[in-house]
Structure formats: structure tokens, C-alpha cells
Amino acid sequence: MQPDAEAFPVGLPGSSLRASRRRWRRTRILLGSGGARIGAAILLVVGTCAAAPGLLAPADPNEQNLLARFTRPATRAADGTLAVLGTDQLGRDILSRVVHGAKTSVLIGLSAVVIAGAVGTGLGLLAGMRGGPWDHLIMRLADMQFAFPFILLAITVIGVLGASVRNIILVVGLSNWVAYARVVRAETLAIREKAFVDAARALGVPLGSIVWRHVLPNVSASLIVVATFGVAGAILTEAGLSFLGLGVPLAIPSWGGMLAEGRQFVDTRYWLALFPGAALFVTVMGINLLGDALRDALDPYLQTRQTRSSVDRL
């Protein structure tokens, strides 16, 4: 019988060898995916822009030059400077704002996923391991979270606390924990019935150690995939809130805010909305491509099928 590739107990003879083989199969699947390579290249560019926007941006993103307003892409403004992606209605350089907008999107996307993942994973583990009233309470909270309109929550929080990056991270993060909780709970319900968990309980291992050493490592693959797609969702959510005027302050460049500013000129000054929209599209596409490849690489059934295919060819 084929052993479970993802739920193998730690510390038994041969477990390290099996783990090494699993890591090699995952790496081979991931490196063999064209989508993963494209997604990684896109994210490398976006990550570089987010990490060092001041080095890559040709100008201050908030510097206004009314003499250079509405300069077309790849042309020179009245002062002789080259506007690679053009300028907006206040003469601000679009390329600089797009580069600095990457920092805003990446910061909010990663921070929101960390918050949602931490809350959702903790509640999912609690519901799956404890069961009973804890399980019912947490799942009913998840149902309430799904039923509550997100935009109403965003309006309420932003209206009370004000628009800031911190508040956007809290809104997006605390509204997306349900997906993590449900995935972790489902995985935990299956893993807690495994023989090695029963053996650990019989040996008197504390529940916290069982969760940390046996349960959490076996749900990490699903968490990585959910978190990858969660980053894309958080970036889109931030862009949507900024487009509606509920996002980051106007002094902070963001792709959603640039789309909101350029919508009234979309028929005459297309570049104001085209380039931030393209940056948003390419970034989310790169994350999704990498997420699809990670899902395939971390799927134990796909690894088993590929191993059997290799054996059959031999």
C-alpha cells in the first residue's frame, strides 16, 4: 500500500529519507513548470521594486510639475525630462508612482496574509483538535464572517479609525481568516485520526507538542497554497478599496488610487489608468501562476502518479 506522502510521523526509521525524496519530487515538479518560472520572474521584478523603490524610481512620486502635466509616454516634458510612462494631471511621473505603488501593494498583501493566516490557522487547529463546542463556536463565527458584507466592514472600520495602511491591513487580514480556518480544520480532522497521533497520545505527549510536531507540519502544504492565492486577493482588495476612496491616504502612491485618479481621463489620457492597471494585472497573474505550480508541487497524489509513471517508463 502506498504510504501517505504528507502525513508521515516524524522520528520513525526511514522518515528522513522519505522526506528528502518528497522534497526532491516537489522541487522537480516546481522547476519543471513554465508557469512557475514566469511567475517567479514577475514576482522578482515586483519584489525588487517594493524593496528599493527609491533606487528604481526616476523621481519623487509626489513631486508636482504643472508645466509637465499630461506628458505622453516616451516623450520629453517641457523641462526636458523624459517621461517613460508619461505624467498625470499634476505632472507627477507615472513610472515613479507605479514603482512606489508596488511597495504599498506588497506590504499590504503580505501583512494581511500573515494576520489572516495566524488567526485562521490558530482557530482551525483549535476547532479540529478540540472538537465539540469549540468546533461549533468557531465554525459559526466563520459563517457569520462570510455573511457579513465586507464593504460594510471596511466602511465602518475606515470611517471610525481613519484611512491608513495599518487600518487597511487589519481590515483585509481580519476579514480573510475564514479560508485558512476551514482548510486547517479539515486537514486536522483527518490527521488527528492517524496512528502516529494516537501513539503520541498513548505515550503521554502534551497536546501542544502533538500539534506543533505532527499536525502543523502536515497542514503546512495546504497553508502555503492558500496563502499564495491570499496575497493576490489582498492586493486586489486593497486596490478596490483605494479605487473607492477607502484605501491608503492620497499621499501614499497605490495602484488602486492611481486607477481612481485616471478614470475621468481614460478616454483622452489612457496612460493614467493603463499602466497601474497593467502592473496590478501582471502582479496578480504572476502570483496565481506561482500558486498553481506550488499546488501541483505540494500535491502528494500528483507526486505519486508521477513516480509511478517514471517506474512504468523504466
Side-chain angles (χ1 to χ4, degrees):
M1 181 179 295
Q2 179 68 27
D4 191 344
E6 291 302 316
F8 197 84
V10 178
L12 292 183
S15 62
S16 59
L17 179 59
R18 289 183 175 88
S20 299
R21 291 176 177 174
R22 289 199 300 270
R23 285 194 293 268
W24 167 246
R25 287 196 296 266
R26 291 171 179 174
T27 304
R28 186 175 59 185
I29 295 173
L30 189 60
L31 294 179
S33 172
R37 292 193 293 267
I38 296 174
I42 293 173
L43 296 183
L44 178 62
V45 175
V46 175
T48 303
C49 294
L55 298 178
L56 300 177
D60 187 338
N62 293 321
E63 182 181 358
Q64 302 180 15
N65 184 3
L66 297 180
L67 295 178
R69 63 194 302 264
F70 292 134
T71 301
R72 302 182 68 84
T75 59
R76 294 192 178 275
D79 57 358
T81 58
L82 177 63
V84 178
L85 300 185
T87 60
D88 61 6
Q89 67 274 18
L90 297 177
R92 297 173 296 187
D93 185 66
I94 297 294
L95 177 58
S96 300
R97 293 182 63 78
V98 169
V99 171
H100 281 267
K103 177 181 178 180
T104 304
S105 296
V106 171
L107 173 63
I108 293 177
L110 293 179
S111 301
V113 164
V114 169
I115 293 176
V119 174
T121 301
L123 293 177
L125 289 171
L126 180 61
M129 294 300 295
R130 289 293 187 182
W134 288 102
D135 188 16
H136 289 290
L137 175 62
I138 293 173
M139 289 300 100
R140 297 298 76 77
L141 287 176
D143 294 337
M144 292 171 59
Q145 178 70 53
F146 266 131
F148 196 83
F150 168 75
I151 190 63
L152 181 58
L153 174 64
I155 292 174
T156 303
V157 174
I158 300 302
V160 173
L161 301 179
S164 67
V165 174
R166 181 192 62 186
N167 294 338
I168 294 298
I169 292 173
L170 290 176
V171 169
V172 177
L174 294 179
S175 62
N176 292 324
W177 63 270
V178 178
Y180 300 87
R182 289 190 167 183
V183 169
V184 172
R185 172 183 176 271
E187 296 273 356
T188 303
L189 288 175
I191 293 171
R192 74 176 187 178
E193 303 300 328
K194 299 291 183 179
F196 60 87
V197 175
D198 293 336
R201 287 173 174 167
L203 292 174
V205 178
L207 181 61
S209 298
I210 294 176
V211 171
W212 182 256
R213 295 190 58 192
H214 299 294
V215 179
L216 191 57
N218 286 297
V219 304
S220 59
S222 300
L223 281 177
I224 291 173
V225 176
V226 175
T228 302
F229 291 109
V231 173
I235 291 176
L236 285 175
T237 302
E238 180 276 327
L241 292 176
S242 297
F243 184 82
L244 296 175
L246 300 173
V248 299
L250 297 177
I252 301 176
S254 69
W255 293 338
M258 295 176 67
L259 286 171
E261 293 176 350
R263 61 183 170 181
Q264 56 182 326
F265 305 105
V266 70
D267 54 341
T268 57
R269 309 289 193 274
Y270 65 90
W271 60 89
L272 271 67
L274 173 63
F275 295 115
L280 185 62
F281 168 77
V282 171
T283 301
V284 174
M285 182 184 69
I287 295 174
N288 287 334
L289 288 175
L290 187 60
D292 285 335
L294 283 173
R295 181 185 57 194
D296 294 339
L298 297 174
D299 186 357
Y301 301 103
L302 180 61
Q303 297 172 23
T304 303
R305 288 196 299 269
Q306 290 195 353
T307 302
R308 289 175 178 174
S309 300
S310 300
V311 172
D312 293 338
R313 285 196 299 267
L314 294 176

